[in-house]
């Protein structure tokens, strides 16, 4: 199904155009580069957040600096695989949530050595690739009905918006009401609101690079006004931009204490099998849901909800996980923040290639990335979330057997803060409602198997 911007018969101009199909997909080189920069800026927080989380579980000399290098390497390799091999504008990096599970549940909670936990991550990535090669993963994705796929896209939009509102301090925790409105006079809130309004106005005026300009303008405002929106203050508080105290260039430290330290044999022990399954389960449905939503947003899904080169794409996703484990980080996965670059018009692998190169440069120029606070990238997440909601209009809301599973998928993602939970509840609900209402034949047999496994996972393994 060609999108309104696709030009399948357009002649290619140049090597890059022929390789990535830039003109054919209705894009331009400058737009792809701009989209890649936007994706990197939106994801740049992971360069610092991932080392902060994993360093609590991994005890090696200069752990933070080594983990920062590993994070950049894993993101660079995973994103380049997606851009150069799969040729999609999707970026990969060590996943949030999975790094917390690795640190606080597996290593600190269960007492599993971090080397063994890395082995479990590696095995889960191998399982990804094997299931993709034999066609099982593609069969599962094809078994998911179109209404659920549309709901997945919208749910990811809700998830992105909630994440952006939280990063901006516009939505905060409340003991009485669970969440509530944040302090609009707080620095993070007004910096984010400035970026949000500016980006929305520029998008309304159809200014190219609106989201990127909004990020840069909000970052500049935070620096000039000395707003306390940067991490690193005393006792975990926020601080004003500290400046480039070590210059703009900082040499990375080779992760000798992490590279190749994974313990695969230990991970295959009976007591760690549940850990492998959990890593695999969460990443499988998280990345599958993310890839499906992003593919729909870029217009790559056909009438059946399939996307081209699906096996290659899923294989690169699994391979990135295993490579990241060898380097010394938790599960590498496709990022929903890729939608920010897609929102800038990125449609080909050149977008991801640019993002991957920037992650490589971040190992040397990471002080520059530190100038972009979370409050400045929050508007991008909110705006892209709004754009990803358009598919809900095509969901069959008059048929409750379709509407309820779709609704559960959309609301569960932000409310449980998990794309995987949203996909899982949608599939389970779809199978149950169809079967119990006498319309069980409308469900693909593969989806019944998946639904049963998901239900068993919640019953026997908990969250």
């Amino acid at each position: 199904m060609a999108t309104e911007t696709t030009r399948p018969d357009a002649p290619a101009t140049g090597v890059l155009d022929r390789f990535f199909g830039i003109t054919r997909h209705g894009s331009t080189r400058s737009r792809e580069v701009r989209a890649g920069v936007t994706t990197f800026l939106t994801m740049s927080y992971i360069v610092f957040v991932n080392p902060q989380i994993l360093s609590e579980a991994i005890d090696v000399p200069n752990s933070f600096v080594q983990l920062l290098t590993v994070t950049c390497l894993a993101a660079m390799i995973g994103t380049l695989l997606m851009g150069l091999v799969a040729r999609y504008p999707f970026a990969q990096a060590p996943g949030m949530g999975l790094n917390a599970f690795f640190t606080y549940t597996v290593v600190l909670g269960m007492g599993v050595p971090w080397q063994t936990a890395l082995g479990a991550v590696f095995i889960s990535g191998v399982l990804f690739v094997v299931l993709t090669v034999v066609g099982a993963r593609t069969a599962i994705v094809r078994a998911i009905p179109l209404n659920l796929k549309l709901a997945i896209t919208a749910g990811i939009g809700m998830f992105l918006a909630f994440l952006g509102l939280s990063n901006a301090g516009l939505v905060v925790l409340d003991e009485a009401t669970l969440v509530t409105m944040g302090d609009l006079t707080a620095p993070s809130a007004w910096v984010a609101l400035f970026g949000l309004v500016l980006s929305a106005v520029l998008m309304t005026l159809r200014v190219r690079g609106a989201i990127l300009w909004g990020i840069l303008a909000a970052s500049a405002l935070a620096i000039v006004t000395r707003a306390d929106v940067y991490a690193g203050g005393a006792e975990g508080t926020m601080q004003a931009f500290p400046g480039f105290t070590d210059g703009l260039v900082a040499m990375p430290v080779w992760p000798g204490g992490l590279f190749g330290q994974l313990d695969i044999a230990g991970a295959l022990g009976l007591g760690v099998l549940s850990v492998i399954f959990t890593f695999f389960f969460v990443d499988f449905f998280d990345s599958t849901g993310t890839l499906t939503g992003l593919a729909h947003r870029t217009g790559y899904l056909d009438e059946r909800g399939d996307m081209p080169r699906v096996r290659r794409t899923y294989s690169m996703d699994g391979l990135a996980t295993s490579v990241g484990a060898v380097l010394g980080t938790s599960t590498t996965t496709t990022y929903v923040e890729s939608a920010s670059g897609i929102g800038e018009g990125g449609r080909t692998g050149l977008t991801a290639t640019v993002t991957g190169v920037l992650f490589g440069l971040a190992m040397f120029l990471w002080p520059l990335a530190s100038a972009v606070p979370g409050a400045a990238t929050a508007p991008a997440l909110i705006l892209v979330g709004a754009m990803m909601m358009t598919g809900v209009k095509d969901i069959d809301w008059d048929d409750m057997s379709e509407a309820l599973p779709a609704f559960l998928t959309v609301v569960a993602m932000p409310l449980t803060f998990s794309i995987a939970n949203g996909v899982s509840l949608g599939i389970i609900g779809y199978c149950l409602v169809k079967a119990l209402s006498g319309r069980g034949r409308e469900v693909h047999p593969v989806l019944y198997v998946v639904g049963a496994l998901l239900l068993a996972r919640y019953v026997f393994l908990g969250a």
Side-chain angles (χ1 to χ4, degrees):
M1 180 176 63
T3 64
E4 60 183 19
T5 58
T6 302
R7 299 162 58 192
D9 301 324
T13 58
V15 177
L16 282 178
D17 198 347
R18 286 192 295 272
F19 183 80
F20 291 110
I22 298 171
T23 301
R24 179 162 49 88
H25 288 101
S27 188
T28 64
R29 293 179 184 87
S30 60
R31 186 185 302 165
E32 295 292 310
V33 171
R34 186 173 65 242
V37 173
T38 300
T39 299
F40 171 76
L41 288 176
T42 310
M43 291 176 60
S44 61
Y45 68 89
I46 197 63
V47 174
F48 304 98
V49 176
N50 192 57
Q52 289 171 352
I53 293 175
L54 293 184
S55 60
E56 296 189 37
I58 298 177
D59 184 17
V60 295
N62 297 318
S63 60
F64 182 87
V65 181
Q66 286 197 50
L67 283 165
L68 187 145
T69 301
V70 165
T71 300
C72 291
L73 283 172
M76 178 186 71
I77 294 172
T79 303
L80 289 178
L81 285 173
M82 192 63 75
L84 296 174
V85 181
R87 301 184 190 179
Y88 279 114
F90 310 149
Q92 302 194 85
M96 291 294 294
L98 284 163
N99 53 11
F101 174 74
F102 180 100
T103 297
Y104 302 112
T105 300
V106 177
V107 179
L108 299 181
M110 298 174 60
V112 175
W114 60 267
Q115 296 92 336
T116 304
L118 287 176
V121 172
F122 177 86
I123 295 170
S124 71
V126 172
L127 288 174
F128 258 56
V129 176
V130 171
L131 285 178
T132 298
V133 171
V134 301
R137 189 173 182 182
T138 304
I140 292 172
V141 174
R142 286 179 175 172
I144 300 175
L146 181 59
N147 280 322
L148 276 185
K149 290 179 178 177
L150 294 172
I152 288 170
T153 304
I156 292 174
M158 292 281 285
F159 180 88
L160 279 173
F162 184 76
L163 181 62
L165 291 168
S166 177
N167 289 347
L170 296 173
V171 173
V172 297
L173 181 67
D174 184 88
E175 291 185 2
T177 61
L178 301 182
V179 293
T180 189
M181 177 76 76
D183 181 5
L184 298 183
T185 64
S188 60
W190 53 260
V191 168
L193 287 172
F194 168 79
L196 179 62
V197 173
L198 176 62
S199 297
V201 170
L202 293 177
M203 290 179 70
T204 302
L205 297 176
R206 301 187 181 279
V207 175
R208 292 183 176 180
I211 294 177
L212 176 58
W213 287 120
I215 292 174
L216 296 178
S219 299
L221 177 67
I223 294 172
V224 171
T225 60
R226 304 289 297 167
D228 294 328
V229 293
Y230 293 86
E235 298 181 357
T237 60
M238 305 300 281
Q239 63 177 353
F241 181 60
F244 301 111
T245 55
D246 297 321
L248 297 180
V249 178
M251 290 297 296
V253 174
W254 175 249
L258 299 171
F259 182 77
Q261 297 300 309
L262 69 170
D263 180 7
I264 299 176
L268 290 172
L270 184 62
V272 191
L273 289 180
S274 64
V275 174
I276 295 175
F277 179 78
T278 302
F279 274 129
F280 173 78
F281 164 81
V282 175
D283 192 24
F284 181 96
F285 285 100
D286 196 350
S287 62
T288 298
T290 299
L291 286 169
T292 301
L294 292 175
H296 179 263
R297 182 71 185 89
T298 53
Y300 277 113
L301 297 186
D302 60 20
E303 289 80 0
R304 295 198 310 166
D306 297 333
M307 67 176 177
R309 308 182 301 280
V310 64
R311 291 195 183 188
R312 189 189 310 173
T313 304
Y314 288 156
S315 294
M316 293 309 101
D317 187 56
L319 182 58
T321 291
S322 294
V323 170
V326 173
L327 290 171
T329 185
S330 54
T331 304
T332 301
T333 187
T334 304
Y335 259 59
V336 291
E337 284 87 342
S338 301
S340 63
I342 294 170
E344 277 297 320
R347 291 296 180 270
T348 75
L350 181 56
T351 292
T353 301
V354 170
T355 303
V357 171
L358 289 175
F359 270 117
L361 292 176
M363 289 187 291
F364 301 88
L365 301 173
W366 57 266
L368 280 177
S370 68
V372 181
T377 59
L381 302 179
I382 298 170
L383 287 167
V384 172
M387 290 187 288
M388 294 186 75
M389 290 296 296
T390 57
V392 297
K393 69 180 186 298
D394 297 319
I395 295 175
D396 186 2
W397 295 107
D398 294 326
D399 183 350
M400 188 53 63
S401 68
E402 300 283 343
L404 179 62
F407 177 75
L408 289 175
T409 300
V410 173
V411 299
M413 290 189 191
L415 293 183
T416 67
F417 209 72
S418 168
I419 294 173
N421 282 339
V423 176
S424 300
L425 292 179
I427 291 175
I428 293 171
Y430 186 83
C431 293
L432 288 175
V433 174
K434 289 288 188 181
L436 295 176
S437 59
R439 296 168 58 180
R441 292 185 178 180
E442 297 179 13
V443 182
H444 195 290
V446 171
L447 203 63
Y448 277 125
V449 175
V450 173
L453 290 174
L454 292 174
L455 187 59
R457 183 258 176 183
Y458 282 114
V459 171
F460 296 108
L461 295 180

